[in-house]
């Protein structure tokens, strides 16, 4: 938009470029769709909200800013261009992320394989509840529906008590809201919604679920909407409203999230090299305790602020896979193992997402301590967990593929063309890729630690042709 403002002749053509994402109001989205269809826009910058299901006219070029995460999304997105007559083009600009790194080194994986099989857990009670409510609004339910909905016997009494079903001669008829499927988002099972309101105009910019609100709309967060910056003034947890005002800052904000994992039960376990992979139910406690201010374009850390006066903590019961770290690795890492383990988590969760068709908002990872009750001592483990209540099957699929994921993570780090470590392979310039890859290899075979020493860095290395050198 800045470039379009500078076109010769003094015309401001910046509004010929629009933004689009699921968080926009329905009216805003329909307006952008119509302007695209009518050819009144130069282009649109969008999330995957424009990926499918909408006729958006005769686009000629698609630019993908980073690999979208799955082959299915890749083909859907580049297929937005060329839907009329004429030539079309698609360009993928790979980002500094492990999945993009993998695609760049293995283009055949992207181009010459079929789209992935979607992962979903049909036994998730929240998912079944949503489907049973929607089905009941179309046709009466009965116990004959048990093969389709295994938990229908548990759900029907709940819906009867809530006044949404009534029994008529052994069948159950819907008497709740006329359109129950509209209560549920295609992107999340969380129905707890917050409004983001511009205090100056009184307009609602968007709605968010509670986890997104805590991360993106906490007090003094910089919120971006349609290319404009807003700062959050207040967050009313009771009224579910975040009040924002327009600002112009040279930074964006990144929340400081502290995570605690508690194991609830273990469902299964398999051996993996010198360790093992366990799968089961966990409770995840996330607390947003502060935020960093990062400068646009170069991502330099401009400062840190703690969040006070608000309890921004979230509790989630979900499914997870956790892998104890072998003792020889922990001995080498010393008293601060979690610094280096961040590099392992970065690679493992990225390769797990690549193989389970999960997005960053679906599958997360960290390291944690847990008590091995039968052995009576505390162990350190890497954990990957579903971010949806009850789990959607991502970590379960990762458990099936854990050996492949470990090997792929090691390969991805070793193949990275950087010298010492970067955001693409280990997640940060300050981490040592040789040490991280040694840790991953030692899950399968014990070897002596790397004998090199490296001075810690606090920022990215300068390019050799940097003007300041």
């Amino acid at each position: 938009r800045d470039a379009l403002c500078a076109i010769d002749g003094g015309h401001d053509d910046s509004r010929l470029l629009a933004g689009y994402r699921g968080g926009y109001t329905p009216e805003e989205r329909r307006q952008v769709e119509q302007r695209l269809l009518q050819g009144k826009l130069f282009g649109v910058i969008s999330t995957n909200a424009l990926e499918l299901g909408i006729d958006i006219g005769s686009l000629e070029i698609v630019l993908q800013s980073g690999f979208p995460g799955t082959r299915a999304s890749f083909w859907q997105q580049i297929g937005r261009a060329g839907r009329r007559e004429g030539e079309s083009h698609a360009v993928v600009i790979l980002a500094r992320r492990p999945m993009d790194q993998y695609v760049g080194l293995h283009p055949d994986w992207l181009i010459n394989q079929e789209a992935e099989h979607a992962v979903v857990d049909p036994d998730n009670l929240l998912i079944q509840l949503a489907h049973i409510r929607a089905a009941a609004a179309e046709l009466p339910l009965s116990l004959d529906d048990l093969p389709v909905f295994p938990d229908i016997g548990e759900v029907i009494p709940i819906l009867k008590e809530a006044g949404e079903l009534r029994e008529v001669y052994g069948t159950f008829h819907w008497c709740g809201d006329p359109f129950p499927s509209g209560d549920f988002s295609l992107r999340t099972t969380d129905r707890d919604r917050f409004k983001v309101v511009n205090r100056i105009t009184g307009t609602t910019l968007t709605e968010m679920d509670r986890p997104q609100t805590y991360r993106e709309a906490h007090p003094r967060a910089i919120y971006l909407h349609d290319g404009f910056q807003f700062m959050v003034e207040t967050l009313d947890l009771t009224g579910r409203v975040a009040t924002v005002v327009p600002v112009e800052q040279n930074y964006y904000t990144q929340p400081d999230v502290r995570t605690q994992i508690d194991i609830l039960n273990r469902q299964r376990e398999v051996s993996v090299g010198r360790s093992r992979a366990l799968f089961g139910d966990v409770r995840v406690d996330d607390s947003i305790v502060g935020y960093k201010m990062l400068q646009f374009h170069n991502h330099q850390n401009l400062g840190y602020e703690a969040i006070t006066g608000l309890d921004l903590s979230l509790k989630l019961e979900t499914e997870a896979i956790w892998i104890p770290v072998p003792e020889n690795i922990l001995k080498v890492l010393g008293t601060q193992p979690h610094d280096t383990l961040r590099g392992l988590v970065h690679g493992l969760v990225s390769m797990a997402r690549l193989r389970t068709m999960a997005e960053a908002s679906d599958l997360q990872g960290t390291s944690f301590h847990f008590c091995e009750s039968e052995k009576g001592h505390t162990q350190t483990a890497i954990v990957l967990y579903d971010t949806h209540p009850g789990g959607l099957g991502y970590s379960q699929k990762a458990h099936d593929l854990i050996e492949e994921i470990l090997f792929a993570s090691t390969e991805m780090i070793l193949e990275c063309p950087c010298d010492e470590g970067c955001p693409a392979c280990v997640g940060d310039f300050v981490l040592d890729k040789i040490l991280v890859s040694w840790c991953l290899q030692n899950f399968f075979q014990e070897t002596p630690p790397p004998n090199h020493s490296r001075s810690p860095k606090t920022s990215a290395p300068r390019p050799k042709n940097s003007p300041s050198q």
Side-chain angles (χ1 to χ4, degrees):
R1 280 183 171 171
D2 291 344
L4 289 173
C5 288
I7 292 178
D8 292 339
H11 299 292
D12 182 2
D13 291 330
S14 62
R15 301 307 299 180
L16 296 178
L17 193 64
Y20 189 99
R21 61 182 174 82
Y24 286 9
T25 63
E27 293 77 17
E28 289 176 312
R29 295 199 302 273
R30 299 296 88 80
Q31 184 182 41
V32 173
E33 292 164 16
Q34 286 300 314
R35 293 177 70 198
L36 266 178
L37 196 57
Q38 296 165 4
K40 294 181 178 179
L41 288 174
F42 282 164
V44 62
I45 290 84
S46 175
T47 64
N48 60 1
L50 275 180
E51 187 171 301
L52 50 84
I54 301 170
D55 186 353
I56 51 177
S58 54
L59 293 183
E60 298 170 330
I61 300 174
V62 169
L63 300 176
Q64 279 187 340
S65 179
F67 173 62
T70 66
R71 291 189 295 269
S73 290
F74 166 77
W75 289 113
Q76 286 285 358
Q77 290 179 15
I78 68 172
R80 297 285 79 190
R83 304 184 72 85
R84 300 288 191 272
E85 295 181 358
E87 192 174 70
S88 62
H89 303 270
V91 179
V92 184
I93 306 169
L94 298 179
R96 276 188 165 176
R97 296 181 306 196
M99 289 189 288
D100 295 65
Q101 181 84 7
Y102 189 87
V103 168
L105 294 170
H106 305 89
D108 287 343
W109 178 90
L110 176 64
I111 302 298
N112 296 325
Q113 293 195 44
E114 295 181 356
E116 305 87 344
H117 296 287
V119 172
V120 68
D121 181 7
D123 296 327
N124 183 305
L125 195 56
L126 287 174
I127 295 176
Q128 282 203 49
L129 176 63
H131 281 282
I132 290 172
R133 292 177 80 244
E138 297 181 9
L139 290 172
L141 297 173
S142 72
L143 294 181
D144 293 337
D145 296 313
L146 192 63
V148 180
F149 303 118
D151 292 320
I152 195 171
E154 300 176 38
V155 173
I156 284 178
I158 296 173
L159 296 180
K160 285 179 63 179
E161 186 177 345
E164 294 188 333
L165 286 182
R166 57 185 173 86
E167 186 174 359
V168 180
Y169 301 115
T171 60
F172 301 90
H173 295 249
W174 181 255
C175 55
D177 294 336
F179 187 55
S181 59
D183 294 341
F184 291 87
S185 167
L186 291 176
R187 298 184 296 165
T188 175
T189 57
D190 193 339
R191 299 170 63 188
D192 196 2
R193 311 297 289 176
F194 283 71
K195 290 184 177 181
V196 178
V197 177
N198 182 345
R199 178 174 62 80
I200 306 301
T201 63
T203 56
T204 298
L205 299 180
T206 187
E207 290 189 359
M208 300 178 178
D209 59 26
R210 187 175 290 270
Q212 184 184 6
T213 301
Y214 282 14
R215 286 171 169 81
E216 299 183 19
H218 56 76
R220 297 193 63 77
I222 298 297
Y223 178 71
L224 300 176
H225 183 82
D226 196 24
F228 296 99
Q229 299 177 36
F230 297 86
M231 179 177 285
V232 179
E233 282 190 329
T234 60
L235 175 58
D236 182 355
L237 299 180
T238 303
R240 295 182 174 85
V241 174
T243 304
V244 302
V245 292
V247 293
E248 289 189 16
Q249 301 286 357
N250 66 337
Y251 66 88
Y252 63 97
T253 51
Q254 184 179 82
D256 178 11
V257 184
R258 307 291 173 87
T259 301
Q260 179 179 329
I261 307 286
D262 292 313
I263 297 171
L264 301 179
N265 69 68
R266 307 174 191 187
Q267 297 182 26
R268 56 182 178 171
E269 175 182 332
V270 295
S271 297
V272 182
R274 301 175 56 234
S275 184
R276 56 211 167 94
L278 301 99
F279 171 78
D281 299 321
V282 300
R283 183 174 61 246
V284 182
D285 293 345
D286 278 345
S287 295
I288 290 81
V289 299
Y291 60 93
K292 292 187 287 186
M293 293 167 279
L294 304 176
Q295 191 168 6
F296 284 120
H297 309 302
N298 64 11
H299 313 294
Q300 181 179 347
N301 189 348
L302 302 179
Y304 178 92
E305 293 283 346
I307 297 175
T308 59
L310 283 178
D311 179 16
L312 301 183
S313 57
L314 297 162
K315 296 184 184 298
L316 170 71
E317 292 191 4
T318 186
E319 294 176 333
I321 168 179
W322 60 99
I323 314 156
V325 181
E327 288 297 326
N328 72 305
I329 295 177
L330 295 175
K331 288 180 180 178
V332 171
L333 299 185
T335 58
Q336 298 293 331
H338 293 288
D339 291 341
T340 299
L341 292 182
R342 280 193 297 116
L344 278 72
V345 171
H346 184 73
L348 288 173
V349 75
S350 299
M351 293 299 102
R353 289 171 186 160
L354 205 60
R355 282 157 175 77
T356 62
M357 208 173 175
E359 297 184 4
S361 58
D362 299 320
L363 189 67
Q364 297 284 348
T366 187
S367 58
F368 78 117
H369 300 298
F370 73 100
C371 182
E372 194 73 274
S373 56
E374 63 268 21
K375 296 182 180 180
H377 69 278
T378 299
Q379 287 188 285
T380 300
I382 292 171
V383 59
L384 309 181
Y385 59 90
D386 287 22
T387 59
H388 303 275
L392 292 186
Y394 298 112
S395 56
Q396 183 175 355
K397 183 69 173 179
H399 188 260
D400 296 335
L401 302 173
I402 186 57
E403 190 165 299
E404 178 184 339
I405 290 169
L406 277 163
F407 276 121
S409 303
T410 310
E411 181 183 57
M412 181 267 298
I413 293 172
L414 292 175
E415 288 183 342
C416 183
C418 72
D419 293 329
E420 297 181 321
C422 70
C425 62
V426 294
D428 204 322
F429 283 111
V430 303
L431 297 180
D432 185 347
K433 66 180 287 186
I434 301 301
L435 183 58
V436 172
S437 61
W438 174 83
C439 292
L440 286 168
Q441 290 169 327
N442 269 255
F443 274 87
F444 295 98
Q445 181 180 2
E446 184 172 0
T447 61
N451 56 11
H452 73 288
S453 61
R454 172 185 168 185
S455 58
K457 293 185 295 189
T458 57
S459 61
R462 289 184 180 275
K464 293 181 180 179
N465 59 351
S466 171
S468 62
Q469 291 183 332

